[in-house]
Amino acid sequence: MRKKLILAVFTTGALAGGLFATKAFAQTDVELTPEQEIKLVQEYNRLLAEGVNPGEVWYEVGKEAIKKYKLDKCDLGLGPGNFKGAAAKLPRYFPDAGKVMDLETRVGWCLQQHGGMKPEEVQKFVKQCWGKTGNCLSEYDGIIMYLTMESNGQKISVDLKDPRVKKMYEIGKAAFNMKLGPWDFNCVTCHAGKQEVRIRATRLWSVDRGEAGQAVHYFPKYLVRWGLPMSMHYRYAECIRQMRWPEFIPHSDLGVALSTYLYAEANGTEIKAPGIGR
Amino acid sequence: MKKTTLLIGLSTLFFVYAEAQQKKAQPKKEGTPKQEDTLQVIKSGLSSDPAFVWKTNQDEAQAICSKYRSREEMPGKDLQKVIQLSQADVKYPQYGLYWGDWKEGKKVVESPRGGRFAGYGFSDNPMDKGGNCYACHLIEKGVPGGTMGPNLYQYGKRWGVTKENMNTPEGMEKLRAVYNIVYNSWSAFPCSSMPRFGYHGGLSPNDVANIVAFLLHPESPVNK
């Protein structure tokens, strides 16, 4: 089963992500030739029309990886190994760690507690496929995909009545507003305002139009362009790179604060992973 | 000339609007964390590589802008302060303002590169330089662009720049007004989404002069 699925990734990968995994493309992520752009759109439309989401393959990868790294002992808030619906209630406060954590940060913690990894190893594990296009199969992406998909159909419900969660929410909200760096960007630059705006051809989502739910509910999101799923912390890293800030550190409190703000704003939206995008 | 007066009028308008807003005391929102605490969390979540850590030193104008979600929310004294700081910052080319080379300007306008560094690939080269103007603006006819900023097609025509008036005091005044916007957008539009390109040194005064020529020059494709 697993072998077959992985084979499927690599075939789709060759078609989709692999399509652009040329050296020239690997160096940049924005400048596609018009022909590449057309191929990309065609491939994306084909996948949509056929209802195929290659991202689902990572579910199986994650299932195996959870055994391998003993994450069945990991407690996402509903008890060790109780994953059904757990992701929908994150971020939350974890007494054992003494911190508010979102899904990815919690998985990083569990990889240290149960998987025997050191913090540096976790960072490497997380970023294994970052900046890559084409056939890159990351167990971390699999784990996040599996754990999120176990909450598919559940409504996001971040508990803002918990003052520790509320505090993280407020920090996240303020961080969203913080203008910083040599291009004077904050998240608000691109993701706020009543009026719909585009940068180049991409339509941007806005918290002020109540679209936080739409933005987060389908993460990890499979990107046809890269042939791999993008987790939320990878999304933060990419937006922060475009903002010209220094590189984002996954599982940091900054990530947790942003997640707490965004997922709480998304309360009530059903989780539906994986999403798919160009 | 109209546009120049309009612009000057605009800044005055801010001041008047400012006065009115000042009276509306900003209610301190419940539970809002201190700015320093939020900055601390942000810094702890970004690489501390000494080559890049300077990027997280927030300046006074950024600190003011970070307190509000939009310009409409800003009280007058803060609007004034940001305009003041930004106007004071504008620097001109070494030998004074001049009509730059629009062909060079076009290149910088089109390039999306510059300043994006990450250890995991997708990095710009250190020498890359661009304004990525198309991300936010429509500029040349038929070239796709973003809609975050206003459409700049025929921008020079709209300012009334012609071959005849380019080098007159009137033409030079127009050149200066647009130079100021591109060098430091906050001098005209406090806390705008548009980066302060010249202020941060991402673009040099000569780059800005070339870009402005691209926008205003009667021979530039922007005005065809």
Side-chain angles (χ1 to χ4, degrees):
Chain A
M1 178 71 179
R2 186 175 165 226
K3 270 216 186 85
K4 214 165 132 199
L5 274 160
I6 291 179
L7 205 83
V9 177
F10 282 103
T11 345
T12 353
L15 265 167
L19 195 68
F20 306 111
T22 59
K23 215 172 179 184
F25 181 68
Q27 286 167 0
T28 109
D29 55 327
V30 276
E31 292 141 284
L32 297 185
T33 66
E35 295 79 51
Q36 284 177 323
E37 195 80 62
I38 291 165
K39 262 194 206 155
L40 175 65
V41 173
Q42 283 173 344
E43 176 62 12
Y44 173 69
N45 289 341
R46 186 185 69 79
L47 290 172
L48 273 193
E50 291 176 10
V52 176
N53 190 330
E56 284 171 25
V57 169
W58 272 261
Y59 179 89
E60 296 298 327
V61 176
K63 204 174 184 173
E64 296 293 318
I66 279 172
K67 283 184 223 146
K68 181 167 159 194
Y69 297 101
K70 305 196 173 60
L71 293 183
D72 42 351
K73 292 193 197 135
C74 186
D75 181 359
L76 295 184
L78 302 183
N82 259 343
F83 298 140
K84 277 259 179 276
K89 296 195 163 62
L90 295 174
R92 70 191 295 156
Y93 178 79
F94 288 95
D96 55 4
K99 283 173 84 158
V100 175
M101 293 173 154
D102 65 357
L103 174 64
E104 291 188 56
T105 305
R106 184 62 180 175
V107 166
W109 192 82
C110 285
L111 283 168
Q112 291 174 48
Q113 299 298 312
H114 312 297
M117 283 193 195
K118 297 196 191 76
E120 317 81 76
E121 289 168 337
V122 173
Q123 289 286 316
K124 245 180 133 171
F125 191 60
V126 173
K127 298 203 270 189
Q128 191 189 327
C129 290
W130 287 23
K132 302 230 163 78
T133 58
N135 310 320
C136 190
L137 202 57
S138 143
E139 288 177 313
Y140 175 78
D141 290 344
I143 293 166
I144 300 302
M145 183 66 81
Y146 178 87
L147 294 176
T148 311
M149 284 178 74
E150 287 294 278
S151 286
N152 269 348
Q154 303 280 329
K155 286 192 173 135
I156 298 172
S157 52
V158 178
D159 181 14
L160 286 179
K161 285 198 227 80
D162 182 333
R164 295 161 296 205
V165 177
K166 183 71 185 348
K167 187 173 167 221
M168 238 16 199
Y169 170 89
E170 292 293 347
I171 293 175
K173 187 175 178 181
F176 205 77
N177 229 41
M178 197 65 82
K179 272 202 186 275
L180 204 63
W183 280 50
D184 298 313
F185 282 147
N186 51 12
C187 308
V188 165
T189 306
C190 296
H191 300 303
K194 287 277 181 236
Q195 207 196 331
E196 185 178 313
V197 294
R198 285 165 192 273
I199 57 171
R200 300 214 181 226
T202 309
R203 177 192 175 279
L204 298 166
W205 68 271
S206 160
V207 266
D208 297 331
R209 291 195 303 271
E211 292 169 344
Q214 184 196 311
V216 303
H217 80 291
Y218 58 0
F219 268 78
K221 180 175 170 183
Y222 179 81
L223 291 193
V224 178
R225 178 161 38 112
W226 296 345
L228 46 82
M230 181 184 221
S231 75
M232 192 46 88
H233 281 218
Y234 188 10
R235 182 70 255 177
Y236 297 155
E238 274 296 284
C239 284
I240 283 172
R241 184 176 68 87
Q242 298 293 354
M243 290 162 85
R244 277 77 177 171
W245 291 9
E247 188 176 329
F248 172 71
I249 302 170
H251 303 177
S252 58
D253 276 354
L254 173 58
V256 176
L258 289 173
S259 292
T260 311
Y261 176 56
L262 293 182
Y263 282 82
E265 286 293 316
N267 268 349
T269 317
E270 262 180 37
I271 292 185
K272 196 165 178 283
I276 185 163
R278 287 191 284 157
Chain B
M1 197 64 206
K2 244 192 219 140
K3 185 84 194 226
T4 327
T5 21
L6 202 124
L7 210 87
I8 297 164
L10 207 78
S11 342
T12 342
L13 213 115
F14 275 130
F15 286 90
V16 178
Y17 171 71
E19 298 295 323
Q21 288 273 303
Q22 225 154 4
K23 293 185 185 116
K24 273 199 263 163
Q26 279 294 111
K28 184 79 191 149
K29 281 176 211 110
E30 193 70 33
T32 308
K34 285 207 201 85
Q35 200 128 328
E36 306 90 83
D37 294 347
T38 307
L39 268 175
Q40 199 40 52
V41 171
I42 292 178
K43 289 179 189 189
S44 75
L46 301 175
S47 157
S48 55
D49 182 336
F52 302 120
V53 78
W54 60 272
K55 291 180 167 192
T56 58
N57 294 333
Q58 194 177 49
D59 74 7
E60 193 180 351
Q62 286 176 331
I64 295 172
C65 299
S66 301
K67 290 195 287 182
Y68 311 101
R69 201 51 170 267
S70 70
R71 197 180 295 146
E72 288 66 41
E73 280 177 23
M74 287 179 71
K77 64 172 188 340
D78 281 349
L79 282 170
Q80 266 174 37
K81 184 75 197 172
V82 172
I83 293 178
Q84 224 174 51
L85 286 167
S86 307
Q87 284 179 342
D89 154 73
V90 178
K91 293 189 185 53
Y92 299 96
Q94 196 180 358
Y95 300 112
L97 196 54
Y98 64 100
W99 283 95
D101 178 345
W102 66 260
K103 291 193 185 103
E104 287 302 312
K106 180 178 155 84
K107 287 185 207 156
V108 184
V109 162
E110 286 172 358
S111 169
R113 304 171 147 275
R116 296 170 303 185
F117 296 108
Y120 55 83
F122 296 158
S123 274
D124 290 337
N125 295 317
M127 296 301 284
D128 284 343
K129 178 171 74 178
N132 202 9
C133 314
Y134 275 105
C136 303
H137 294 282
L138 289 155
I139 311 177
E140 265 186 73
K141 196 175 185 171
V143 180
T147 59
M148 191 180 292
N151 188 343
L152 299 177
Y153 179 56
Q154 300 213 319
Y155 195 63
K157 270 201 181 145
R158 282 189 261 152
W159 274 84
V161 176
T162 61
K163 265 209 167 77
E164 290 72 36
N165 71 14
M166 271 178 72
N167 291 304
T168 64
E170 181 197 339
M172 292 307 285
E173 211 34 61
K174 291 174 179 178
L175 175 69
R176 179 179 304 273
V178 176
Y179 181 96
N180 292 351
I181 296 176
V182 179
Y183 187 93
N184 188 330
S185 53
W186 295 3
S187 66
F189 309 103
C191 306
S192 175
S193 314
M194 177 156 151
R196 295 171 293 167
F197 290 109
Y199 166 76
H200 290 291
L203 301 178
S204 70
N206 292 320
D207 293 328
V208 176
N210 292 338
I211 289 172
V212 176
F214 176 65
L215 295 179
L216 296 182
H217 203 289
E219 276 166 19
S220 156
V222 173
N223 298 305
K224 292 293 170 196

